[in-house]
Amino acid sequence: MRLKENIRTFDFTPSSIEIEVKKLTFIKELPNLLGSPHKVSFYQLMWVTEGSAELKIDFRKIRVGVNELLLISPGQVCEFDITSDYSGKMILFTDSFFTVTEVDADFLYSSQILSLSNLNQVVSVCPLLADNLIALLEEELKTSADKFQATIAQSLLRVILFEAERNLSSAYPPSSNKYNLAQSFHNAVEKHFRENKRLEYYTSLLAVSERVLSKEVKLLTGETPKVYLDKRVVLEAKRLLAYSKLSAKEIGFLLGFEEPGNYNNFFRKHTGLTPANFRVSIK
């Protein structure tokens, strides 16, 4: 049996180049879609130039003010602000568009701006730099596509992301082995948390002892690897309970729990509520 999550998910509009720049006004033009919980299969880089917007991402409220950037990752459940007064730009791009080189791929999977400790961190960026780069990117995308367009667009996007990365303080620099180990754990959890919830699986996958992994993940996140892993499972359960029509039993099955009782006990242990009570509480 194949279950569907039923959370509205948008894919990138097919095009010759998988990057697009939009004015933030497009959000209010689609209030029923973007003002409601939804997911997308691509990255969204939000740049506010006037006012401020308050988003809800995975049950967290995040405010983005003037001259601030926010990067939203694929798969996150988001509700955009459709009431406040704000303006700016949104850059939409896929991972396949950005990861042309090994350096690019390494950035997406090891950068601080996308790390498990800084996910959805609002970053202040020089307005002159950001405005000019985004304007150049917009102009490039308006021209007729040729063999140079993708490379030029990628270069402009790189500078924007690298500038945001430089301005984001973190416990470890990107080259730190400690940082890379913790981020590798985060990436492994994202890929395998549904079918593997035992910490031993991840220590074996990363070829590291539980003691070493616990030390580095706790230094970066303040949590043990097991706590982080359990919280990731709970977050996905909450997403499905809040935004899908699947039954609690179906959600438990989708998350790798073979017995409904095990899923119910797991969820109640970490939230204090049964799945059914949680679903009622957020309506």
Side-chain angles (χ1 to χ4, degrees), residues 235-271:
L235 172 60
E236 199 67 19
K238 286 182 174 180
R239 285 175 172 175
L240 294 168
L241 288 165
Y243 308 125
S244 81
K245 296 180 180 179
L246 296 175
S247 68
K249 181 179 179 180
E250 290 172 326
I251 291 172
F253 179 79
L254 197 63
L255 294 177
F257 293 91
E258 296 182 0
E259 296 295 331
N262 292 339
Y263 165 63
N264 288 337
N265 291 336
F266 174 87
F267 191 86
R268 187 184 321 194
K269 175 184 176 182
H270 291 90
T271 67

mmCIF file of all heavy atoms in Angstrom, residues 235-271:
data_model
loop_
_atom_site.group_PDB
_atom_site.id
_atom_site.type_symbol
_atom_site.label_atom_id
_atom_site.label_comp_id
_atom_site.label_asym_id
_atom_site.label_seq_id
_atom_site.Cartn_x
_atom_site.Cartn_y
_atom_site.Cartn_z
ATOM 1 N N LEU A 235 8.559 15.874 14.529
ATOM 2 C CA LEU A 235 8.220 16.980 13.630
ATOM 3 C C LEU A 235 7.462 16.473 12.412
ATOM 4 O O LEU A 235 6.446 17.056 12.008
ATOM 5 C CB LEU A 235 9.486 17.708 13.178
ATOM 6 C CG LEU A 235 9.298 18.771 12.081
ATOM 7 C CD1 LEU A 235 8.345 19.862 12.530
ATOM 8 C CD2 LEU A 235 10.643 19.364 11.666
ATOM 9 N N GLU A 236 7.929 15.375 11.822
ATOM 10 C CA GLU A 236 7.242 14.841 10.643
ATOM 11 C C GLU A 236 5.851 14.345 11.012
ATOM 12 O O GLU A 236 4.892 14.530 10.246
ATOM 13 C CB GLU A 236 8.061 13.707 10.029
ATOM 14 C CG GLU A 236 7.694 13.388 8.603
ATOM 15 C CD GLU A 236 8.030 14.515 7.634
ATOM 16 O OE1 GLU A 236 8.854 15.389 7.972
ATOM 17 O OE2 GLU A 236 7.453 14.518 6.525
ATOM 18 N N ALA A 237 5.724 13.750 12.185
ATOM 19 C CA ALA A 237 4.414 13.294 12.642
ATOM 20 C C ALA A 237 3.471 14.477 12.816
ATOM 21 O O ALA A 237 2.300 14.426 12.418
ATOM 22 C CB ALA A 237 4.557 12.529 13.952
ATOM 23 N N LYS A 238 3.974 15.561 13.405
ATOM 24 C CA LYS A 238 3.153 16.757 13.584
ATOM 25 C C LYS A 238 2.726 17.342 12.245
ATOM 26 O O LYS A 238 1.585 17.782 12.078
ATOM 27 C CB LYS A 238 3.921 17.809 14.399
ATOM 28 C CG LYS A 238 4.043 17.497 15.881
ATOM 29 C CD LYS A 238 4.787 18.623 16.599
ATOM 30 C CE LYS A 238 4.808 18.425 18.102
ATOM 31 N NZ LYS A 238 5.532 19.533 18.793
ATOM 32 N N ARG A 239 3.655 17.383 11.283
ATOM 33 C CA ARG A 239 3.324 17.889 9.951
ATOM 34 C C ARG A 239 2.154 17.113 9.361
ATOM 35 O O ARG A 239 1.191 17.680 8.840
ATOM 36 C CB ARG A 239 4.530 17.750 9.016
ATOM 37 C CG ARG A 239 5.652 18.743 9.219
ATOM 38 C CD ARG A 239 6.802 18.384 8.296
ATOM 39 N NE ARG A 239 7.876 19.379 8.280
ATOM 40 C CZ ARG A 239 9.017 19.230 7.628
ATOM 41 N NH1 ARG A 239 9.241 18.121 6.936
ATOM 42 N NH2 ARG A 239 9.938 20.169 7.652
ATOM 43 N N LEU A 240 2.242 15.792 9.438
ATOM 44 C CA LEU A 240 1.220 14.950 8.830
ATOM 45 C C LEU A 240 -0.105 15.042 9.577
ATOM 46 O O LEU A 240 -1.178 15.042 8.968
ATOM 47 C CB LEU A 240 1.712 13.504 8.779
ATOM 48 C CG LEU A 240 2.906 13.269 7.846
ATOM 49 C CD1 LEU A 240 3.508 11.882 8.070
ATOM 50 C CD2 LEU A 240 2.495 13.423 6.401
ATOM 51 N N LEU A 241 -0.050 15.131 10.894
ATOM 52 C CA LEU A 241 -1.281 15.267 11.676
ATOM 53 C C LEU A 241 -1.952 16.607 11.418
ATOM 54 O O LEU A 241 -3.186 16.704 11.371
ATOM 55 C CB LEU A 241 -0.974 15.124 13.175
ATOM 56 C CG LEU A 241 -0.634 13.715 13.663
ATOM 57 C CD1 LEU A 241 -0.009 13.763 15.050
ATOM 58 C CD2 LEU A 241 -1.884 12.831 13.668
ATOM 59 N N ALA A 242 -1.143 17.647 11.227
ATOM 60 C CA ALA A 242 -1.693 18.985 11.053
ATOM 61 C C ALA A 242 -2.185 19.235 9.640
ATOM 62 O O ALA A 242 -3.210 19.904 9.440
ATOM 63 C CB ALA A 242 -0.644 20.036 11.431
ATOM 64 N N TYR A 243 -1.483 18.698 8.647
ATOM 65 C CA TYR A 243 -1.735 19.132 7.286
ATOM 66 C C TYR A 243 -2.186 18.025 6.331
ATOM 67 O O TYR A 243 -2.343 18.281 5.139
ATOM 68 C CB TYR A 243 -0.478 19.796 6.716
ATOM 69 C CG TYR A 243 0.077 20.882 7.595
ATOM 70 C CD1 TYR A 243 1.398 20.856 8.025
ATOM 71 C CD2 TYR A 243 -0.727 21.931 8.013
ATOM 72 C CE1 TYR A 243 1.911 21.866 8.834
ATOM 73 C CE2 TYR A 243 -0.226 22.932 8.829
ATOM 74 C CZ TYR A 243 1.094 22.897 9.228
ATOM 75 O OH TYR A 243 1.595 23.883 10.038
ATOM 76 N N SER A 244 -2.365 16.814 6.815
ATOM 77 C CA SER A 244 -2.840 15.746 5.942
ATOM 78 C C SER A 244 -4.141 15.169 6.493
ATOM 79 O O SER A 244 -4.535 15.446 7.625
ATOM 80 C CB SER A 244 -1.786 14.638 5.827
ATOM 81 O OG SER A 244 -1.842 13.767 6.951
ATOM 82 N N LYS A 245 -4.772 14.351 5.685
ATOM 83 C CA LYS A 245 -6.010 13.687 6.094
ATOM 84 C C LYS A 245 -5.765 12.228 6.460
ATOM 85 O O LYS A 245 -6.711 11.465 6.662
ATOM 86 C CB LYS A 245 -7.034 13.779 4.963
ATOM 87 C CG LYS A 245 -7.469 15.206 4.649
ATOM 88 C CD LYS A 245 -8.485 15.237 3.528
ATOM 89 C CE LYS A 245 -8.899 16.680 3.222
ATOM 90 N NZ LYS A 245 -9.886 16.744 2.099
ATOM 91 N N LEU A 246 -4.510 11.848 6.546
ATOM 92 C CA LEU A 246 -4.179 10.477 6.913
ATOM 93 C C LEU A 246 -4.600 10.198 8.348
ATOM 94 O O LEU A 246 -4.531 11.073 9.220
ATOM 95 C CB LEU A 246 -2.679 10.237 6.768
ATOM 96 C CG LEU A 246 -2.079 10.331 5.366
ATOM 97 C CD1 LEU A 246 -0.570 10.174 5.436
ATOM 98 C CD2 LEU A 246 -2.684 9.286 4.451
ATOM 99 N N SER A 247 -5.008 8.981 8.617
ATOM 100 C CA SER A 247 -5.338 8.584 9.985
ATOM 101 C C SER A 247 -4.051 8.426 10.786
ATOM 102 O O SER A 247 -2.954 8.316 10.219
ATOM 103 C CB SER A 247 -6.109 7.263 9.981
ATOM 104 O OG SER A 247 -5.256 6.203 9.556
ATOM 105 N N ALA A 248 -4.186 8.399 12.110
ATOM 106 C CA ALA A 248 -3.015 8.214 12.967
ATOM 107 C C ALA A 248 -2.321 6.897 12.643
ATOM 108 O O ALA A 248 -1.088 6.808 12.627
ATOM 109 C CB ALA A 248 -3.424 8.259 14.431
ATOM 110 N N LYS A 249 -3.088 5.878 12.363
ATOM 111 C CA LYS A 249 -2.517 4.572 12.020
ATOM 112 C C LYS A 249 -1.714 4.655 10.726
ATOM 113 O O LYS A 249 -0.608 4.110 10.629
ATOM 114 C CB LYS A 249 -3.639 3.545 11.878
ATOM 115 C CG LYS A 249 -3.149 2.136 11.551
ATOM 116 C CD LYS A 249 -4.319 1.171 11.453
ATOM 117 C CE LYS A 249 -3.835 -0.243 11.111
ATOM 118 N NZ LYS A 249 -4.976 -1.197 11.022
ATOM 119 N N GLU A 250 -2.253 5.350 9.727
ATOM 120 C CA GLU A 250 -1.556 5.499 8.449
ATOM 121 C C GLU A 250 -0.282 6.310 8.608
ATOM 122 O O GLU A 250 0.745 6.020 7.982
ATOM 123 C CB GLU A 250 -2.479 6.153 7.428
ATOM 124 C CG GLU A 250 -3.611 5.248 6.973
ATOM 125 C CD GLU A 250 -4.630 5.974 6.115
ATOM 126 O OE1 GLU A 250 -4.871 7.183 6.380
ATOM 127 O OE2 GLU A 250 -5.193 5.358 5.210
ATOM 128 N N ILE A 251 -0.323 7.347 9.457
ATOM 129 C CA ILE A 251 0.862 8.167 9.692
ATOM 130 C C ILE A 251 1.945 7.344 10.374
ATOM 131 O O ILE A 251 3.126 7.410 10.009
ATOM 132 C CB ILE A 251 0.501 9.405 10.533
ATOM 133 C CG1 ILE A 251 -0.371 10.353 9.703
ATOM 134 C CG2 ILE A 251 1.761 10.132 11.014
ATOM 135 C CD1 ILE A 251 -0.950 11.512 10.489
ATOM 136 N N GLY A 252 1.543 6.562 11.351
ATOM 137 C CA GLY A 252 2.505 5.694 12.021
ATOM 138 C C GLY A 252 3.168 4.735 11.043
ATOM 139 O O GLY A 252 4.393 4.533 11.073
ATOM 140 N N PHE A 253 2.379 4.169 10.136
ATOM 141 C CA PHE A 253 2.917 3.270 9.119
ATOM 142 C C PHE A 253 3.882 4.001 8.203
ATOM 143 O O PHE A 253 4.956 3.489 7.863
ATOM 144 C CB PHE A 253 1.762 2.665 8.315
ATOM 145 C CG PHE A 253 2.200 1.744 7.222
ATOM 146 C CD1 PHE A 253 2.589 0.440 7.492
ATOM 147 C CD2 PHE A 253 2.242 2.183 5.898
ATOM 148 C CE1 PHE A 253 3.003 -0.407 6.477
ATOM 149 C CE2 PHE A 253 2.655 1.341 4.879
ATOM 150 C CZ PHE A 253 3.035 0.038 5.166
ATOM 151 N N LEU A 254 3.508 5.233 7.794
ATOM 152 C CA LEU A 254 4.355 6.021 6.905
ATOM 153 C C LEU A 254 5.693 6.352 7.552
ATOM 154 O O LEU A 254 6.717 6.477 6.874
ATOM 155 C CB LEU A 254 3.623 7.316 6.525
ATOM 156 C CG LEU A 254 4.132 8.098 5.318
ATOM 157 C CD1 LEU A 254 3.994 7.278 4.042
ATOM 158 C CD2 LEU A 254 3.363 9.399 5.170
ATOM 159 N N LEU A 255 5.702 6.491 8.872
ATOM 160 C CA LEU A 255 6.928 6.832 9.602
ATOM 161 C C LEU A 255 7.698 5.606 10.070
ATOM 162 O O LEU A 255 8.660 5.734 10.833
ATOM 163 C CB LEU A 255 6.578 7.718 10.805
ATOM 164 C CG LEU A 255 6.024 9.106 10.460
ATOM 165 C CD1 LEU A 255 5.655 9.869 11.728
ATOM 166 C CD2 LEU A 255 7.023 9.902 9.648
ATOM 167 N N GLY A 256 7.274 4.424 9.635
ATOM 168 C CA GLY A 256 8.051 3.225 9.928
ATOM 169 C C GLY A 256 7.657 2.476 11.179
ATOM 170 O O GLY A 256 8.359 1.549 11.590
ATOM 171 N N PHE A 257 6.541 2.839 11.799
ATOM 172 C CA PHE A 257 6.067 2.110 12.979
ATOM 173 C C PHE A 257 5.122 1.004 12.512
ATOM 174 O O PHE A 257 4.056 1.278 11.950
ATOM 175 C CB PHE A 257 5.330 3.048 13.937
ATOM 176 C CG PHE A 257 6.201 4.080 14.586
ATOM 177 C CD1 PHE A 257 6.383 5.330 13.993
ATOM 178 C CD2 PHE A 257 6.848 3.819 15.785
ATOM 179 C CE1 PHE A 257 7.191 6.284 14.591
ATOM 180 C CE2 PHE A 257 7.658 4.776 16.390
ATOM 181 C CZ PHE A 257 7.831 6.004 15.784
ATOM 182 N N GLU A 258 5.504 -0.242 12.763
ATOM 183 C CA GLU A 258 4.683 -1.355 12.290
ATOM 184 C C GLU A 258 3.441 -1.550 13.148
ATOM 185 O O GLU A 258 2.414 -2.034 12.657
ATOM 186 C CB GLU A 258 5.515 -2.640 12.266
ATOM 187 C CG GLU A 258 6.680 -2.586 11.271
ATOM 188 C CD GLU A 258 7.455 -3.876 11.225
ATOM 189 O OE1 GLU A 258 7.093 -4.816 11.969
ATOM 190 O OE2 GLU A 258 8.426 -3.956 10.436
ATOM 191 N N GLU A 259 3.515 -1.176 14.413
ATOM 192 C CA GLU A 259 2.375 -1.316 15.315
ATOM 193 C C GLU A 259 1.848 0.056 15.707
ATOM 194 O O GLU A 259 2.615 0.915 16.153
ATOM 195 C CB GLU A 259 2.777 -2.084 16.577
ATOM 196 C CG GLU A 259 3.195 -3.522 16.328
ATOM 197 C CD GLU A 259 2.052 -4.373 15.815
ATOM 198 O OE1 GLU A 259 0.886 -4.058 16.154
ATOM 199 O OE2 GLU A 259 2.309 -5.335 15.069
ATOM 200 N N PRO A 260 0.537 0.300 15.562
ATOM 201 C CA PRO A 260 -0.043 1.602 15.941
ATOM 202 C C PRO A 260 0.244 1.972 17.392
ATOM 203 O O PRO A 260 0.469 3.146 17.708
ATOM 204 C CB PRO A 260 -1.543 1.394 15.698
ATOM 205 C CG PRO A 260 -1.615 0.314 14.675
ATOM 206 C CD PRO A 260 -0.467 -0.599 14.975
ATOM 207 N N GLY A 261 0.251 0.976 18.272
ATOM 208 C CA GLY A 261 0.501 1.255 19.680
ATOM 209 C C GLY A 261 1.887 1.829 19.915
ATOM 210 O O GLY A 261 2.073 2.715 20.755
ATOM 211 N N ASN A 262 2.877 1.343 19.160
ATOM 212 C CA ASN A 262 4.240 1.862 19.314
ATOM 213 C C ASN A 262 4.330 3.319 18.879
ATOM 214 O O ASN A 262 5.002 4.135 19.515
ATOM 215 C CB ASN A 262 5.214 1.024 18.482
ATOM 216 C CG ASN A 262 5.368 -0.382 19.015
ATOM 217 O OD1 ASN A 262 5.070 -0.649 20.193
ATOM 218 N ND2 ASN A 262 5.800 -1.300 18.162
ATOM 219 N N TYR A 263 3.638 3.641 17.793
ATOM 220 C CA TYR A 263 3.623 5.031 17.325
ATOM 221 C C TYR A 263 2.915 5.932 18.325
ATOM 222 O O TYR A 263 3.414 7.021 18.661
ATOM 223 C CB TYR A 263 2.936 5.103 15.964
ATOM 224 C CG TYR A 263 2.537 6.504 15.554
ATOM 225 C CD1 TYR A 263 3.490 7.495 15.359
ATOM 226 C CD2 TYR A 263 1.190 6.831 15.374
ATOM 227 C CE1 TYR A 263 3.116 8.783 14.990
ATOM 228 C CE2 TYR A 263 0.815 8.114 15.007
ATOM 229 C CZ TYR A 263 1.776 9.086 14.818
ATOM 230 O OH TYR A 263 1.403 10.356 14.455
ATOM 231 N N ASN A 264 1.768 5.500 18.822
ATOM 232 C CA ASN A 264 1.023 6.308 19.801
ATOM 233 C C ASN A 264 1.851 6.551 21.065
ATOM 234 O O ASN A 264 1.897 7.671 21.583
ATOM 235 C CB ASN A 264 -0.286 5.617 20.177
ATOM 236 C CG ASN A 264 -1.305 5.659 19.056
ATOM 237 O OD1 ASN A 264 -1.239 6.526 18.186
ATOM 238 N ND2 ASN A 264 -2.240 4.723 19.066
ATOM 239 N N ASN A 265 2.521 5.513 21.543
ATOM 240 C CA ASN A 265 3.339 5.653 22.752
ATOM 241 C C ASN A 265 4.529 6.583 22.511
ATOM 242 O O ASN A 265 4.881 7.392 23.376
ATOM 243 C CB ASN A 265 3.838 4.282 23.214
ATOM 244 C CG ASN A 265 2.711 3.400 23.735
ATOM 245 O OD1 ASN A 265 1.668 3.914 24.165
ATOM 246 N ND2 ASN A 265 2.906 2.098 23.704
ATOM 247 N N PHE A 266 5.154 6.455 21.336
ATOM 248 C CA PHE A 266 6.287 7.310 20.987
ATOM 249 C C PHE A 266 5.851 8.776 20.950
ATOM 250 O O PHE A 266 6.512 9.652 21.519
ATOM 251 C CB PHE A 266 6.859 6.885 19.627
ATOM 252 C CG PHE A 266 7.940 7.792 19.104
ATOM 253 C CD1 PHE A 266 9.267 7.589 19.463
ATOM 254 C CD2 PHE A 266 7.645 8.842 18.247
ATOM 255 C CE1 PHE A 266 10.276 8.415 18.982
ATOM 256 C CE2 PHE A 266 8.633 9.678 17.753
ATOM 257 C CZ PHE A 266 9.954 9.462 18.128
ATOM 258 N N PHE A 267 4.744 9.046 20.275
ATOM 259 C CA PHE A 267 4.281 10.424 20.134
ATOM 260 C C PHE A 267 3.891 11.007 21.490
ATOM 261 O O PHE A 267 4.227 12.157 21.809
ATOM 262 C CB PHE A 267 3.088 10.473 19.175
ATOM 263 C CG PHE A 267 2.704 11.869 18.761
ATOM 264 C CD1 PHE A 267 3.326 12.480 17.688
ATOM 265 C CD2 PHE A 267 1.732 12.587 19.455
ATOM 266 C CE1 PHE A 267 2.986 13.769 17.298
ATOM 267 C CE2 PHE A 267 1.388 13.872 19.078
ATOM 268 C CZ PHE A 267 2.014 14.469 18.002
ATOM 269 N N ARG A 268 3.185 10.225 22.307
ATOM 270 C CA ARG A 268 2.756 10.731 23.618
ATOM 271 C C ARG A 268 3.961 10.973 24.528
ATOM 272 O O ARG A 268 3.984 11.950 25.277
ATOM 273 C CB ARG A 268 1.809 9.731 24.277
ATOM 274 C CG ARG A 268 1.197 10.288 25.572
ATOM 275 C CD ARG A 268 0.339 9.284 26.297
ATOM 276 N NE ARG A 268 -0.465 8.471 25.411
ATOM 277 C CZ ARG A 268 -1.479 7.716 25.843
ATOM 278 N NH1 ARG A 268 -1.795 7.695 27.110
ATOM 279 N NH2 ARG A 268 -2.152 6.973 25.000
ATOM 280 N N LYS A 269 4.959 10.125 24.431
ATOM 281 C CA LYS A 269 6.164 10.290 25.253
ATOM 282 C C LYS A 269 6.846 11.621 24.976
ATOM 283 O O LYS A 269 7.351 12.282 25.884
ATOM 284 C CB LYS A 269 7.131 9.135 24.972
ATOM 285 C CG LYS A 269 8.480 9.283 25.681
ATOM 286 C CD LYS A 269 9.426 8.157 25.284
ATOM 287 C CE LYS A 269 10.808 8.352 25.897
ATOM 288 N NZ LYS A 269 11.748 7.272 25.477
ATOM 289 N N HIS A 270 6.856 12.045 23.717
ATOM 290 C CA HIS A 270 7.603 13.244 23.332
ATOM 291 C C HIS A 270 6.766 14.516 23.284
ATOM 292 O O HIS A 270 7.325 15.613 23.207
ATOM 293 C CB HIS A 270 8.274 13.031 21.968
ATOM 294 C CG HIS A 270 9.393 12.039 22.015
ATOM 295 N ND1 HIS A 270 9.209 10.691 21.800
ATOM 296 C CD2 HIS A 270 10.717 12.190 22.272
ATOM 297 C CE1 HIS A 270 10.361 10.068 21.919
ATOM 298 N NE2 HIS A 270 11.294 10.949 22.192
ATOM 299 N N THR A 271 5.456 14.398 23.319
ATOM 300 C CA THR A 271 4.614 15.597 23.239
ATOM 301 C C THR A 271 3.646 15.743 24.400
ATOM 302 O O THR A 271 3.104 16.830 24.626
ATOM 303 C CB THR A 271 3.780 15.598 21.939
ATOM 304 O OG1 THR A 271 2.818 14.533 21.991
ATOM 305 C CG2 THR A 271 4.672 15.429 20.716
#
